[in-house]
Amino acid sequence: MQVPLYVWILTVVGIVGLLAFDFFFHVRKAHSPKLRESATWSAIYVGIALVFGIGVLIFGGPTMGTEYFAGYVTEKALSVDNLFVFLIIMASFKVPRADQQKVLLFGIVFSLIARTGFIFLGAALINSFAWVFYIFGLILLITAGNLLRPDSHDDDSEGLVVRLARKFLPASQHYDGDKLFTVENGKRVLTPMLLVMVAIGGTDILFALDSIPAIFGLTQNVFVVFTATAFSLMGLRQLFFLIDELLDRLIYLSYGLAAILGFIGVKLILHALHENNVHFINGGEHVTVVEISTGLSLTVIIGVLVVTILASIYSPKGKAKNMVSGAKRHATEYVDLNYETGIAEREEIFNKMLREEGELKKLPEKYKRLIRNETEFMDLLKQAHAEHDAALQRENRA
């Protein structure tokens, strides 16, 4: 279906407007969003994406609507997986939590720009060269294999560009709020904030190389590809703060995504064989193969994700990781409290942390090894205990 130009214009204006709203009303003033704020806005952005999808279904027809939802669900799942890497990058750069929103919004905007470029490049290649489907299919199969590696998220947090920037450009070791440049010893230098944005931007390009072939495996409608990709990125910042402490619990997500990408990769190769014009395959003639419908693809994608999430949540390993995440979250929340915070609020947070610490001590030794950066984690708990003791002393003196 040919989408009118005015629909394109309205859609792009709407997406840009959402990004501008996010910046001016949420990100411009540095703060650490609360759980309720993150949950509310995550739900709003998902709601906008679903309403848009219903509009596509009504005005574009069942096929176009199904393609949009299949693409949206796939891209959203891949975006959640990308959050693992963002988490590692920001942890390695020690980005202050209040400034993480700006880094994430930059990553979303850069990702949208990069993926838009790849979308139109991919569409042009597909329209000119049918054999590109073979390439896209192989890319997805290789990516699926890489996701099965145990260290698939232990990515190099800096990368070549950041290392070169550190080596040849003057850079400070300290943050200056959310500024990209600062003055140190009378010289204008880069801040770690700029370097972490470069690192996020570099990973965004790599993510686009995986995600765009995946959605082209579900639809070749450029409007659907663009909108499903764009709306999957909307609300990703809020989603990060909503589930950042729960990401580690999704221990089987990589396996689920590997299955989805492998499935789409096979679908692409089957489609390439059906449209074949490569001379050394069947003499350049079409190959009679079974093609996988978009409806079946959507069913498989949702089914795999549901099984993956449930298996992660209810597995002993997933529960153990949730205890670690909870203790870390409450310890961090306690350490970040203001000096004026009342003792009742302090006790509530501290008691939650104590319960989780108690549960951690009961875990089998194999699950205790799941604690990433154990020394840093234990130091955080000790700091929370020390600050609570000091708060109790102040309260008793008062």
Side-chain angles (χ1 to χ4, degrees), residues 176-196:
D176 184 6
D178 58 3
K179 294 179 180 177
L180 304 182
F181 298 91
T182 189
V183 176
E184 199 171 77
N185 299 324
K187 294 182 179 179
R188 186 175 173 81
V189 295
L190 309 178
T191 68
M193 181 63 72
L194 179 59
L195 295 176
V196 73

Side-chain angles (χ1 to χ4, degrees), residues 226-237:
F226 172 75
T227 52
T229 301
F231 282 111
S232 73
L233 294 171
M234 295 289 106
L236 195 60
R237 176 186 63 78

Side-chain angles (χ1 to χ4, degrees), residues 50 83 160 250 284 377:
L50 294 179
L83 290 180
L160 178 62
L250 299 176
F377 175 72

Side-chain angles (χ1 to χ4, degrees), residues 67-68 70-83 86 107-108 110-120 122-123 126 135-144 147 202-222 224-233 236 257 260-262 264-265 268 301:
E67 289 176 350
Y68 169 84
Y72 174 76
V73 172
T74 301
E75 292 297 304
K76 199 69 174 179
L78 288 171
S79 297
V80 172
D81 189 59
N82 297 161
L83 290 180
F86 288 168
I108 291 168
F110 188 89
S111 180
L112 184 56
I113 294 171
R115 294 184 192 203
T116 299
F118 279 115
I119 286 169
F120 286 102
I126 287 171
I135 305 298
F136 281 2
L138 288 174
I139 288 173
L140 294 184
L141 292 176
I142 292 170
T143 302
L147 283 173
T203 57
D204 277 334
I205 293 175
L206 296 177
F207 293 156
L209 292 174
D210 297 336
S211 69
I212 298 309
I215 194 169
F216 268 118
L218 299 168
T219 177
Q220 284 82 60
N221 186 311
V222 179
V224 172
V225 172
F226 172 75
T227 52
T229 301
F231 282 111
S232 73
L233 294 171
L236 195 60
L257 289 176
I260 290 171
L261 292 181
I264 298 174
L268 270 173
I301 291 165

Side-chain angles (χ1 to χ4, degrees), residues 51-63:
V51 169
F52 185 86
I54 293 172
V56 173
L57 191 66
I58 293 172
F59 296 104
T63 300

Side-chain angles (χ1 to χ4, degrees), residues 143-368:
T143 302
N146 288 335
L147 283 173
L148 294 175
R149 292 186 293 111
D151 59 344
S152 62
H153 288 119
D154 296 336
D155 295 283
D156 179 3
S157 61
E158 291 197 349
L160 178 62
V161 176
V162 175
R163 288 197 295 270
L164 288 174
R166 284 191 185 277
K167 186 173 182 179
F168 295 107
L169 298 174
S172 169
Q173 297 297 316
H174 309 288
Y175 287 90
D176 184 6
D178 58 3
K179 294 179 180 177
L180 304 182
F181 298 91
T182 189
V183 176
E184 199 171 77
N185 299 324
K187 294 182 179 179
R188 186 175 173 81
V189 295
L190 309 178
T191 68
M193 181 63 72
L194 179 59
L195 295 176
V196 73
M197 286 186 174
V198 172
I200 292 285
T203 57
D204 277 334
I205 293 175
L206 296 177
F207 293 156
L209 292 174
D210 297 336
S211 69
I212 298 309
I215 194 169
F216 268 118
L218 299 168
T219 177
Q220 284 82 60
N221 186 311
V222 179
F223 181 78
V224 172
V225 172
F226 172 75
T227 52
T229 301
F231 282 111
S232 73
L233 294 171
M234 295 289 106
L236 195 60
R237 176 186 63 78
Q238 291 86 351
L239 187 63
F240 176 86
F241 289 99
L242 181 63
I243 68 171
D244 66 336
E245 298 296 344
L246 301 178
L247 282 173
D248 280 345
R249 191 173 179 181
L250 299 176
I251 54 176
Y252 299 122
L253 181 61
S254 291
Y255 298 103
L257 289 176
I260 290 171
L261 292 181
F263 171 79
I264 298 174
V266 171
K267 182 178 186 293
L268 270 173
I269 290 175
L270 288 175
H271 181 71
L273 289 170
H274 185 267
E275 301 291 330
N276 180 61
N277 58 8
V278 178
H279 294 295
F280 59 82
I281 297 177
N282 198 38
E285 297 296 323
H286 302 332
V287 180
T288 303
V289 292
V290 176
E291 287 213 79
I292 301 170
S293 68
T294 306
L296 177 60
S297 299
L298 180 59
T299 303
V300 170
I301 291 165
I302 293 176
V304 169
L305 286 176
V306 169
V307 170
T308 298
I309 292 170
L310 291 178
S312 297
I313 290 174
Y314 290 106
S315 71
K317 186 176 179 181
K319 291 179 180 178
K321 283 206 168 192
N322 192 50
M323 291 176 196
V324 173
S325 297
K328 181 181 177 183
R329 180 173 68 256
H330 289 121
T332 302
E333 187 178 355
Y334 192 93
V335 169
D336 289 343
L337 291 175
N338 295 326
Y339 184 81
E340 296 83 5
T341 304
I343 194 65
E345 184 178 348
R346 286 181 174 274
E347 287 283 5
E348 182 182 355
I349 298 171
F350 187 75
N351 286 335
K352 289 179 182 177
M353 188 190 78
L354 279 183
R355 285 195 295 271
E356 286 151 350
E357 278 189 274
E359 293 296 325
L360 283 174
K361 290 175 182 177
K362 298 176 186 176
L363 289 176
E365 193 60 37
K366 63 178 181 179
Y367 291 133
K368 290 180 182 178

